[in-house]
Amino acid sequence: MQLAIKKSKKKIITSFFIIEVINLLVIGSLALSSHFLIGVLLVLYSILIQGQIYLRENKLKWLLISLKAIFKGGILTYISFFIQLSFIPNTIFIWSTSSILLILIVELTDYTIKTNQLETIKQNQLIALSLFVFLYLSSIFILWLSFSYFSLLLLLSLPAAWNVLSIYRLSAQPKPLSLKLKQLNLLTIAFLFLFTLVISTRLFLQ
C-alpha cells in the first residue's frame, strides 16, 4: 500500500515538474521574442495562479482577488497589446480601469458562490453593489471624454449586471452552480462586447 502511494506521489511530482518546464519554456520564448519585462510579469502571474490555493487557505481572499483582477484586467491586457503592436498606447492604462473592476466583480462573485456561506454572501453583497456602481460610472465617464453619448451603450449590459447581483440574494442560493457561472460569463461577454463596440465607433465617425 505504501509502495503504491509512493509511486503515485512520484508520478504527480514528475508530471508537475514537466508542466513547470513547459510553462517556463513558453514564458521564456515570449520574453525572448518581445521583451524581458513580459517574461517577468508572466512568471509572476504563473506564481499567482499556482499559489492561489495557499492564499485561499490562509484567508487572504482579498489579496488573491485583487491580484487576479489587476493581472487579468490590466497586466495581461498590456502584454497582449505590446506583443501585437510593439508598444502600449497611453489610453489603454485608463481604459483598463473598467476591465480591472469587471474582473474584480467576477472574481468576488465567483469566490462567493463557490464558498456558499451565508455570512460571506451578506458581507460581499454591498461590496459587489458598490463595485457595480463604480464600474458603470467610471466607464461611462472615461469613454464619454472620447466617444460622448456612445458611451451610454454600456447601459445595455445592465440586465446582465442585475442577474449577477441577484446571485447575492438568499432566495437565489438554491440555483445550480452552473447557472450562476453562466450569469457571470454573460456579464463579462456583454460588458466587454459593448465596451469594444463603443471604442469601435471611432471608425464610423472618421
Side-chain angles (χ1 to χ4, degrees):
M1 183 69 177
Q2 290 181 348
L3 182 61
I5 293 174
K6 287 182 179 179
K7 286 183 177 180
S8 178
K9 287 183 177 179
K10 189 175 181 180
K11 286 182 180 179
I12 293 173
I13 292 172
T14 303
S15 300
F16 179 77
F17 178 76
I18 293 172
I19 292 172
E20 285 300 314
V21 170
I22 295 173
N23 184 38
L24 289 174
L25 286 173
V26 172
I27 292 174
S29 64
L30 285 172
L32 291 172
S33 62
S34 52
H35 197 280
F36 174 74
L37 181 59
I38 289 178
V40 173
L41 292 174
L42 288 176
V43 167
L44 292 175
Y45 182 67
S46 180
I47 293 172
L48 171 64
I49 295 301
Q50 296 179 53
Q52 59 182 318
I53 296 176
Y54 171 81
L55 293 174
R56 190 177 288 112
E57 289 180 349
N58 286 274
K59 298 180 179 179
L60 298 171
K61 70 166 187 176
W62 282 112
L63 178 61
L64 174 62
I65 291 171
S66 301
L67 287 175
K68 288 176 75 173
I70 292 170
F71 269 93
K72 288 182 179 181
I75 293 176
L76 290 183
T77 303
Y78 311 148
I79 290 174
S80 62
F81 261 86
F82 188 84
I83 291 175
Q84 297 178 47
L85 305 176
S86 298
F87 77 99
I88 301 177
N90 293 330
T91 51
I92 198 66
F93 293 106
I94 300 174
W95 293 346
S96 64
T97 303
S98 299
S99 60
I100 292 173
L101 286 171
L102 176 64
I103 299 300
L104 189 60
I105 292 170
V106 171
E107 290 294 336
L108 175 65
T109 308
D110 181 73
Y111 176 86
T112 302
I113 61 180
K114 288 181 178 178
T115 305
N116 198 28
Q117 295 178 354
L118 182 62
E119 184 180 348
T120 304
I121 294 170
K122 289 181 177 179
Q123 181 183 15
N124 294 342
Q125 185 178 30
L126 183 59
I127 298 174
L129 177 60
S130 301
L131 286 173
F132 266 115
V133 172
F134 189 49
L135 170 66
Y136 279 93
L137 290 179
S138 61
S139 299
I140 290 175
F141 175 76
I142 290 169
L143 292 176
W144 190 279
L145 298 175
S146 300
F147 306 100
S148 90
Y149 59 87
F150 284 107
S151 60
L152 297 178
L153 287 172
L154 289 179
L155 297 178
L156 293 176
S157 65
L158 279 177
W162 179 257
N163 283 334
V164 171
L165 273 176
S166 69
I167 293 174
Y168 289 89
R169 296 176 187 169
L170 299 182
S171 59
Q173 296 317 303
K175 289 183 180 179
L177 176 63
S178 59
L179 177 59
K180 296 176 183 178
L181 292 177
K182 286 179 181 178
Q183 290 176 319
L184 265 181
N185 291 332
L186 178 61
L187 169 66
T188 305
I189 294 170
F191 189 90
L192 292 179
F193 171 76
L194 291 169
F195 195 93
T196 306
L197 184 63
V198 172
I199 295 174
S200 66
T201 55
R202 177 171 291 180
L203 298 174
F204 300 102
L205 295 175
Q206 289 179 345

